[in-house]
Amino acid sequence: MKSSRYRIICYDDCIGCGRCASECSFDAITMKDHHPVFRHENCVDCQRCVELCPRGALSITRNPNRFRSHAVFSEDAIKEIRLQAETGGVLLSSMGSDADAVPVYFDKMLLNASQVTNPSIDPLREPMESVTFLGSRPEKVERLPDGTLADNLPPHLELSVPIMFSAMSYGAISLEVHKALAKAASKLGTYWNTGEGGLHESLRPYCPNTIVQVASGRFGVHADYLNSAAAVEIKIGQGAKPGIGGHLTGRKIVGDVSRTRMIPEGLDAISPAPHHDIYSIEDLSQLVMSIKEVTGFRKPVIVKVAAVHNIAPIASGIARSGADIIAIDGFRGGTGAAPKRIRDNVGIPLELAVAAVDQRLREEKIRDRVSLIASGGIRNSSDVAKAIALGADAVSIGTASLCALGCHLCASCHTGRCAWGIASQDPALTSRLDPDKGAEALVNLVNAWTSEIKEMMGGMGINSIEALRGNRLALRGVGLNEKELEILGIKHAGE
Amino acid sequence: MKEADLRKNNEEEVRSIISEVSNGGDGMLTGCLGQRYLGCGLRSGRLYLKGTPGNGLAAYLEGGSVYVDGNAQDAAADTMNDGLVAIKGSAGDALSYGMRGGRVYVLGSTGYRTGVHMKAYKDRKSVLVIGGRTGSFLGEYLAGGVIIVLGLSGEGPITGYFCGNGMYAGTIYLRTDDIPKCLSDSLSVHAVDDDEKETSIMPFVREFASLFSLDAEKIMESRFIAIEADGSVARGQHYAAV
Amino acid sequence: MKKEGEVRISSGCAICGIFCRDGRRIPGSVIRESIRVMHNRSNGLGGGFAGYGIYPQYSDKYALHIFYSDFAAREETERMLDQYFDIINLSKIPTRQVDAIRDVPLIWRYFVSPLPHRIQDSQLDEDEYTAQAMIRISCAVKGAYVVSYGKNMGVFKAVGYPEDVAEFYRIEEYEGYAWTAHGRYPTNTPGWWGGAHPFSILDLSVVHNGEISSYDANRRAVEMYGYSCNLMTDTEVIAYILDYLVRKQGLSYRESAEVIATPFWSTIEMKDGYDKARLSYLRNMFSSFLVTGPFSILVGFDGGMMALNDRLKLRSLVAAEKGRTVYFSSEEAAIRVIEPEPDRIWAPRGGEPVIVTLDKEALR
């Protein structure tokens, strides 16, 4: 019998109501004679049964059985070898990388605060601005014949807070999640992103707060889709799987997913690794401009790339392609499904990428041509503040927004059996997520973060978010070596 | 029909023709020389082009018709949704990438990666007919629709290497007996019988022939092979969930 | 210990300014007496003055004030100057012995004209050509520091209390239609003369009180346009931003003030018509040049002066008028001491610039 990773423990408080069995979508709990029976090997530790047990009678622990410890070949390493020996398959996982050997630089940077030489500001009582505009800025002002300033700014996105929701496609996640994101974005005055699976008909009312995506599969992409949105994002890559395409299996292409993606039911949806009309930077420019052409130059165009080794010159190329905004998705970005080896070994941490890109664009004097969005592993408001101080204009959150909706990072998205109704198309599961309540949770989350960001800004004596952007003196490193400090462009604490 | 020469610097005139076509009328632009995105997102009307239009010709086409008397460059009919494109000449690389509906007819030959990731959805079915030959990677990732290559002109094999790589729906018809080189294991090939010829190929070849004043019956006298995804080859086994 | 420029040093300060709209030239002793009153706002680690209209006999020449640490630096600099400029006149700047002023560098003054053929080769205008040459000297010549290089103006600064600095430079011997002064309270003891204020670029000079919280955001933005913030002071970055906005973008001083002390969005929202459009545009277009945190600045330029507070008005600033003369100061007392009976005295509102320029008749 397959050994189990987790053990479900049932305490005496159990009243045999069977709620746990009906909630478990992984077939780990069944009822027999008013007693739960466990198939521990099926448990993914999603915590659904634990949270919904009316008596608090359940807990899940790691199986105390362990392999003989070895400093190099860990238990997981051995298990993966055995799995591949058995199946011959490429290891598939989901959510962002938890590779703990790669530093989370956010945790190694500390924020500043004012003492004496300038005043801190109380954000609850004094004006504190978080409005952010994303888009390109022309090199020079122009004047009309009467001497007044001409409005030569290209179209911009206006965000009331510098936090957006990351691209997650309908099909990978449920329509209920899309609804919650769309409602929340619209209430917050920010944006959500359809991902590459198209925009569901029922979400049209939220178009002013919607960013639509054009990925290599071009699912659901047509002129009306592009024109309906606030902005168009060309997805080149994502942090969880740089250089890798996507594959949504046919069993998830049902009903509205099929309609929204505009592909037949049951047919696999494959996103090629590259856009086959982009093999070089001038081809990217061609796609950017074709989107501008078909949208009458009324929509900002975002180009989303994964943070990889050469990210700085890549970003420079994108900035010169006519794109208005660059979205950089870091190493820890989430995913509905990615080959594990790719997820855990390809790309670079977001913090280094943002710092390198911001610095490079400044050195090339083109930082104002584009705005920068940072995403991939942003967990809280201080991560947001630090990303902005490093040089991002705004951030996108994906995993964090799913956590607000119930996700516990059990990393089973690829199974389509998400017990929280997030990464599933099974109506029995997706109906567990109430879009209105979900939207409320997301609004609460972003509002709470915004309050915290304002507190941090106030502490630094900054009362407008643009004065934090790229303000690297607001940061100090702890436990970082010279090279890391150099790339981050910050001083060490105490300096 | 209104006409303007792109070689003259007459932006006003060109704009008036584009708007005439957008409103469902006819218009002609002559002297095309690399101007990008001509006919981009057009919903109705007929746009006639002479010369060599630039990349991104008829991208996101939504229903209008674009006729080219000359050769098209790269990325023509990109993400096209509906309508008609007829090119009385050749086309470059990445023709009809991600096309979802409508018909594209090319009298001559096309470059690499023709018809990659074409699709079909409900009443929309993308159709691509090529009079000449194509480069490698024809119909890669094909997810629906029909690609027909006639081999009426040009030299050498009717298509290049890796034809239909990774395709999982739709059909590629080649007017030849020769199975292309390097065909993937996950594809199946069959000779096309008269019924299939009549229902699946003839309607498009007839339109192709009438556009370019050719004899459809004569073209159809030859034998065709069809390439499709082999449903018996499962993809799922590629992965092992951790 | 690191000297100014190797480390960012914050400082509090006193500032004051006098502007004669009618072009009347008044001696430097007036501004000296004004800043003297605010002795307690400084700590003896920096003082300085900028005077406008002080070199009428050379009004069309660039007046260079340069500090040298040694003779070799002077030699090398003069060699460079010879390559770029026609030197019309050169001399030591006259000083007098003052006990409180120590570690005195060599202080020289030159009146120069750019060499026409060199300007042509450079494809630059006269101002940009001169600015680039001066930046090159400060960067390339060890021990040389260009203090100011505007036309018909000059900056006099040193480590010390401003009134002692005035004595040292015999400031009473100069007459100008506009004066600004600065007394510094830095939070360390750099003991370097270059770090004193005013800071200037061409004819634009800035004195500043406060410590801005947006410093690095502003610095990294302005450095994109060819500036190099070597001193790492607020004054320097504000001067560069103003030079960029006014000289390179062609904004007026009023519009520039609307960039660096832009109103809150909620305030902009209440405006209408062109005001609203202009303010939104400027704020969005130049969002990296919003300066937050406390500041009050006096900006001197050819034929004018601007006083500006941050939008929350976190620093004090008083303005007064008597006839055609306008006074600005951190404290009212510093105005009353030189003009006991002003016609009007007021505190400008946060973010709203007061800009004064020479009357038409006063322009030569």
Side-chain angles (χ1 to χ4, degrees):
Chain A
M1 191 178 139
K2 200 177 145 198
S3 74
S4 68
R5 185 184 285 257
Y6 305 104
R7 301 283 304 176
I8 310 166
I9 300 169
C10 181
Y11 302 104
D12 295 345
D13 315 69
C14 175
I15 51 172
C17 69
R19 181 75 189 263
C20 51
S22 63
E23 292 295 335
C24 182
S25 53
F26 292 94
D27 208 17
I29 312 179
T30 50
M31 294 301 288
K32 196 176 175 193
D33 302 333
H34 293 287
H35 282 292
V37 178
F38 302 118
R39 295 173 66 185
H40 301 286
E41 70 277 16
N42 285 348
C43 178
V44 299
D45 196 12
C46 74
Q47 297 283 322
R48 179 82 186 177
C49 57
V50 176
E51 275 202 23
L52 280 114
C53 173
R55 303 285 297 168
L58 290 172
S59 65
I60 298 171
T61 60
R62 278 199 83 104
N63 189 338
N65 180 51
R66 81 287 163 286
F67 291 6
R68 185 183 168 135
S69 74
H70 187 280
V72 179
F73 281 84
S74 65
E75 178 170 341
D76 280 347
I78 297 168
K79 280 185 172 163
E80 284 167 4
I81 290 171
R82 291 175 59 93
L83 178 62
Q84 291 191 291
E86 193 184 312
T87 61
V90 168
L91 296 178
L92 189 69
S93 190
S94 36
M95 298 314 289
S97 176
D98 63 350
D100 50 14
V102 181
V104 176
Y105 285 98
F106 285 130
D107 294 338
K108 293 168 182 273
M109 291 187 285
L110 297 171
L111 290 160
N112 192 28
S114 300
Q115 298 289 295
V116 184
T117 58
N118 72 3
S120 46
I121 303 168
D122 178 352
L124 293 179
R125 286 154 199 95
E126 297 200 39
M128 187 60 71
E129 300 186 299
S130 58
V131 176
T132 301
F133 287 84
L134 302 182
S136 182
R137 290 173 176 85
E139 270 173 36
K140 283 217 77 156
V141 301
E142 286 168 21
R143 289 191 190 268
L144 300 172
D146 67 357
T148 58
L149 289 163
D151 183 3
N152 60 351
L153 283 170
H156 278 194
L157 290 179
E158 182 179 344
L159 288 67
S160 65
V161 293
I163 302 168
M164 303 192 285
F165 298 120
S166 302
M168 293 178 280
S169 74
Y170 176 39
I173 56 173
S174 64
L175 182 59
E176 284 74 5
V177 178
H178 261 200
K179 276 188 180 150
L181 291 169
K183 277 176 198 236
S186 152
K187 184 125 189 257
L188 287 163
T190 183
Y191 298 86
W192 72 290
N193 189 315
T194 61
E196 63 170 316
L199 175 68
H200 190 270
E201 205 58 44
S202 68
L203 300 177
R204 290 256 158 182
Y206 304 101
C207 276
N209 295 85
T210 303
I211 295 168
V212 297
Q213 208 180 51
V214 173
S216 62
R218 304 287 155 87
F219 300 114
V221 177
H222 52 90
D224 291 340
Y225 165 80
L226 298 174
N227 275 296
S228 66
V232 179
E233 176 170 280
I234 298 172
K235 179 199 168 183
I236 300 294
Q238 76 185 80
K241 42 179 175 177
I244 301 289
H247 180 182
L248 197 61
T249 53
R251 65 194 156 81
K252 289 190 182 175
I253 310 290
V254 289
D256 280 6
V257 176
S258 141
R259 264 194 293 287
T260 306
R261 292 201 173 214
M262 301 175 83
I263 48 172
E265 292 210 0
L267 188 70
D268 287 2
I270 290 181
S271 296
H275 291 248
H276 281 285
D277 48 0
I278 305 177
Y279 284 172
S280 174
I281 188 71
E282 70 273 19
D283 294 353
L284 172 67
S285 170
Q286 179 178 306
L287 182 61
V288 168
M289 295 317 283
S290 87
I291 288 171
K292 293 203 164 187
E293 194 73 36
V294 77
T295 54
F297 292 83
R298 287 186 297 268
K299 314 283 179 189
V301 173
I302 307 166
V303 174
K304 176 180 177 176
V305 284
V308 291
H309 299 356
N310 254 346
I311 189 67
I314 290 166
S316 159
I318 297 171
R320 295 171 199 278
S321 74
D324 301 273
I325 300 164
I326 304 176
I328 300 172
D329 198 23
F331 177 73
R332 291 179 190 279
T335 176
K340 186 168 190 284
R341 293 288 173 256
I342 300 287
R343 190 195 70 173
D344 295 349
N345 292 282
V346 179
I348 65 171
L350 175 68
E351 303 90 323
L352 300 179
V354 167
V357 167
D358 177 68
Q359 184 56 30
R360 178 63 167 264
L361 295 181
R362 286 171 195 266
E363 283 163 11
E364 295 191 20
K365 308 188 193 313
I366 50 174
R367 180 63 183 83
D368 285 342
R369 278 203 207 172
V370 284
S371 292
L372 278 186
I373 301 171
S375 65
I378 291 190
R379 305 154 297 176
N380 52 46
S381 59
S382 53
D383 289 355
V384 178
K386 290 169 188 176
I388 292 173
L390 283 176
D393 289 81
V395 305
S396 288
I397 54 168
T399 303
S401 62
L402 297 186
C403 291
L405 300 176
C407 173
H408 283 64
L409 272 85
C410 72
S412 309
C413 318
H414 52 283
T415 64
R417 300 301 305 154
C418 177
W420 296 91
I422 296 167
S424 175
Q425 300 307 322
D426 180 348
L429 297 175
T430 59
S431 64
R432 293 176 177 186
L433 183 69
D434 177 346
D436 289 321
K437 283 192 185 146
E440 205 183 305
L442 291 165
V443 169
N444 284 342
L445 176 74
V446 173
N447 282 340
W449 285 18
T450 305
S451 300
E452 291 176 336
I453 291 167
K454 289 181 173 178
E455 290 272 8
M456 289 180 243
M457 283 165 53
M460 290 184 256
I462 288 171
N463 59 12
S464 185
I465 195 83
E466 57 255 54
L468 178 61
R469 182 182 60 218
N471 195 335
R472 297 196 185 168
L473 277 179
L475 298 170
R476 288 290 191 277
V478 274
L480 296 174
N481 65 35
E482 287 285 341
K483 194 71 193 177
E484 290 168 317
L485 292 167
E486 178 195 322
I487 294 164
L488 291 166
I490 62 173
K491 291 175 186 295
H492 200 278
E495 268 190 285
Chain B
M1 187 181 0
K2 269 185 147 180
E3 216 183 291
D5 188 337
L6 288 176
R7 280 166 297 201
K8 296 171 189 154
N9 212 358
N10 46 355
E11 228 174 274
E12 277 302 298
E13 220 178 306
V14 171
R15 209 172 298 138
S16 90
I17 286 176
I18 298 285
S19 88
E20 171 94 26
V21 173
S22 303
N23 291 328
D26 292 358
M28 180 183 287
L29 298 174
T30 58
C32 295
L33 198 66
Q35 290 83 0
R36 289 186 167 189
Y37 319 119
L38 289 167
C40 178
L42 199 64
R43 284 163 197 278
S44 61
R46 279 175 296 270
L47 178 64
Y48 295 86
L49 302 172
K50 281 189 174 172
T52 309
N55 295 4
L57 169 81
Y60 314 102
L61 196 70
E62 279 288 337
S65 304
V66 178
Y67 300 90
V68 181
D69 188 357
N71 296 336
Q73 300 190 155
D74 296 344
D78 199 311
T79 322
M80 168 170 158
N81 205 27
D82 207 347
L84 175 95
V85 175
I87 299 165
K88 202 170 162 187
S90 65
D93 291 344
L95 169 69
S96 294
Y97 180 59
M99 174 185 177
R100 187 182 301 110
R103 288 108 59 218
V104 173
Y105 297 105
V106 181
L107 177 59
S109 293
T110 63
Y112 269 51
R113 297 190 166 79
T114 297
V116 170
H117 215 311
M118 276 170 47
K119 304 177 182 76
Y121 177 65
K122 292 204 164 158
D123 53 333
R124 289 216 175 83
K125 177 173 170 177
S126 53
V127 174
L128 171 59
V129 182
I130 293 143
R133 284 150 215 273
T134 80
S136 296
F137 301 103
L138 171 69
E140 196 181 19
Y141 296 97
L142 195 68
V146 177
I147 299 176
I148 302 168
V149 187
L150 299 174
L152 300 172
S153 56
E155 300 270 311
I158 196 159
T159 187
Y161 299 114
F162 311 111
C163 169
N165 252 21
M167 73 183 264
Y168 52 107
T171 312
I172 299 174
Y173 291 110
L174 302 176
R175 186 168 156 277
T176 178
D177 285 328
D178 303 331
I179 295 173
K181 293 200 170 73
C182 308
L183 213 56
S184 139
D185 293 344
S186 57
L187 300 178
S188 71
V189 184
H190 66 263
V192 179
D193 63 23
D194 287 349
D195 272 3
E196 191 179 354
K197 245 176 156 177
E198 191 53 37
T199 54
S200 302
I201 306 179
M202 191 59 187
F204 308 120
V205 168
R206 201 171 281 138
E207 189 173 18
F208 171 85
S210 83
L211 277 166
F212 301 123
S213 314
L214 298 169
D215 182 350
E217 304 296 333
K218 191 151 177 248
I219 293 170
M220 292 304 287
E221 277 167 14
S222 304
R223 284 200 293 269
F224 284 79
I225 56 168
I227 300 171
E228 290 180 329
D230 183 348
S232 65
V233 180
R235 298 176 142 268
Q237 271 135 24
H238 184 59
Y239 294 107
V242 193
Chain C
M1 193 153 139
K2 288 179 174 168
K3 94 174 176 183
E4 191 114 35
E6 293 167 336
V7 63
R8 182 168 141 79
I9 297 160
S10 54
S11 58
C13 305
I15 58 175
C16 63
I18 306 172
F19 190 87
C20 304
R21 286 201 264 221
D22 52 8
R24 191 166 37 89
R25 293 168 61 230
I26 55 171
S29 47
V30 180
I31 192 82
R32 182 193 66 206
E33 291 315 302
S34 175
I35 193 84
R36 187 197 295 279
V37 174
M38 297 187 284
H39 180 87
N40 289 344
R41 298 180 74 98
S42 322
N43 65 359
L45 293 176
F49 301 84
Y52 287 80
I54 57 173
Y55 298 130
Q57 67 277 37
Y58 293 110
S59 64
D60 58 339
K61 305 286 180 279
Y62 291 95
L64 320 184
H65 288 192
I66 305 183
F67 291 157
Y68 299 120
S69 61
D70 51 45
F71 184 71
R74 191 188 126 203
E75 258 192 347
E76 193 182 342
T77 302
E78 288 181 355
R79 246 195 326 271
M80 279 176 82
L81 286 176
D82 266 334
Q83 284 172 30
Y84 296 106
F85 300 94
D86 189 7
I87 301 176
I88 313 297
N89 177 313
L90 77 168
S91 64
K92 267 174 112 161
I93 293 185
T95 56
R96 66 163 67 94
Q97 195 85 26
V98 177
D99 281 351
I101 305 292
R102 302 184 179 270
D103 302 324
V104 179
L106 307 171
I107 308 170
W108 282 73
R109 173 167 53 210
Y110 306 81
F111 294 100
V112 304
S113 284
L115 294 170
H117 70 277
R118 294 296 299 253
I119 291 196
Q120 213 163 24
D121 291 351
S122 72
Q123 310 267 331
L124 302 171
D125 67 31
E126 192 185 54
D127 278 349
E128 183 63 21
Y129 173 89
T130 305
Q132 288 192 9
M134 292 305 126
I135 290 166
R136 205 165 307 147
I137 287 171
S138 285
C139 290
V141 183
K142 197 169 175 297
Y145 176 75
V146 182
V147 180
S148 66
Y149 51 94
K151 285 181 180 171
N152 202 6
M153 63 81 73
V155 169
F156 305 88
K157 61 187 185 183
V159 173
Y161 282 101
E163 59 273 22
D164 293 334
V165 174
E167 286 298 317
F168 172 76
Y169 278 108
R170 301 152 71 148
I171 205 85
E172 72 280 3
E173 292 172 8
Y174 299 88
E175 290 187 332
Y177 64 82
W179 287 96
T180 61
H182 186 260
R184 197 171 184 222
Y185 192 139
T187 51
N188 76 345
T189 52
W192 186 51
W193 287 46
H197 300 174
F199 183 84
S200 76
I201 171 167
L202 292 160
D203 62 294
L204 181 141
S205 72
V206 179
V207 289
H208 156 261
N209 170 211
E211 183 195 325
I212 60 179
S213 54
S214 54
Y215 175 77
D216 219 29
N218 302 144
R219 174 188 69 84
R220 297 182 69 239
V222 83
E223 286 196 341
M224 224 165 46
Y225 302 106
Y227 299 91
S228 174
C229 295
N230 296 322
L231 292 176
M232 298 177 80
T233 62
D234 296 347
T235 314
E236 176 190 47
V237 82
I238 291 172
Y240 285 155
I241 289 174
L242 286 170
D243 181 63
Y244 174 72
L245 294 174
V246 173
R247 189 162 62 89
K248 301 202 173 158
Q249 283 286 350
L251 296 190
S252 67
Y253 276 94
R254 185 164 299 281
E255 287 164 341
S256 302
E258 289 169 347
V259 169
I260 64 176
T262 188
F264 288 96
W265 285 112
S266 53
T267 312
I268 295 176
E269 206 48 50
M270 287 184 287
K271 312 254 177 196
D272 38 36
Y274 179 61
D275 276 348
K276 185 174 177 179
R278 182 187 71 250
L279 290 167
S280 320
Y281 174 83
L282 289 172
R283 178 156 188 191
N284 195 349
M285 174 85 175
F286 298 111
S287 64
S288 302
F289 296 135
L290 165 62
V291 178
T292 63
F295 69 83
S296 57
I297 56 172
L298 288 179
V299 182
F301 52 93
D302 184 26
M305 189 179 290
M306 173 169 78
L308 181 67
N309 255 149
D310 64 88
R311 56 190 189 161
L312 288 180
K313 199 176 183 306
L314 297 167
R315 297 314 299 145
S316 51
L317 182 67
V318 182
E321 238 174 359
K322 174 78 175 184
R324 301 306 294 153
T325 309
V326 182
Y327 302 87
F328 300 105
S329 173
S330 299
E331 297 182 15
E332 185 177 326
I335 296 173
R336 295 274 183 193
V337 72
I338 50 173
E339 181 44 69
E341 300 285 332
D343 301 337
R344 183 161 87 100
I345 190 152
W346 79 101
R349 292 164 63 169
E352 289 181 12
V354 179
I355 298 168
V356 289
T357 51
L358 286 175
D359 296 336
K360 274 202 190 83
E361 307 81 67
L363 294 167
R364 55 227 91 168

